[in-house]
Amino acid sequence: MFIIHHMNPVERLDRDIQGTAPPGADPLTEELVMPVRLTMILLAATMMLMFAMTVAIGAAYLTRRDGSGYRAAIKSGAVGFAATLTTATAVVAALAAVAR
């Protein structure tokens, strides 16, 4: 006895043309909304991390170029990274509150 029933390609094509979902499934729009939102959230998080890393590298570079030691450069980079992520998190939280 098979638990999973696979449609043949003709049944899939008919279902796609008619726009009806199989029994017990959500409509097509509901199935695609969550993955798109999740993708956008992950993309935004990745972009924020990349921007924070860029700020941290820039701050460490400028501190080191100023003649400071490695400890001061690492501290400056860490402060820049933390400040950038804190600001980005606050902005995202504010936008999420307004969007609801």
Side-chain angles (χ1 to χ4, degrees):
M1 177 175 177
F2 292 102
I3 296 174
I4 300 173
H5 173 69
H6 295 286
M7 289 187 255
N8 64 22
V10 175
E11 288 177 356
R12 285 186 189 161
L13 183 62
D14 289 340
R15 189 189 72 208
D16 291 342
I17 290 173
Q18 293 172 0
T20 59
D26 291 334
L28 184 62
T29 57
E30 292 297 324
E31 290 178 15
L32 291 178
V33 169
M34 189 60 191
V36 170
R37 286 183 186 166
L38 180 62
T39 302
M40 293 304 293
I41 290 170
L42 290 175
L43 181 64
T46 304
M47 294 293 288
M48 286 190 319
L49 282 173
M50 293 300 291
F51 182 67
M53 288 296 291
T54 304
V55 168
I57 291 169
Y61 172 75
L62 290 175
T63 303
R64 185 71 181 135
R65 187 168 172 149
D66 192 36
S68 300
Y70 287 115
R71 288 184 182 177
I74 291 173
K75 182 180 178 183
S76 175
V79 168
F81 182 79
T84 304
L85 281 185
T86 303
T87 305
T89 304
V91 168
V92 168
L95 290 176
V98 170
R100 286 191 171 208

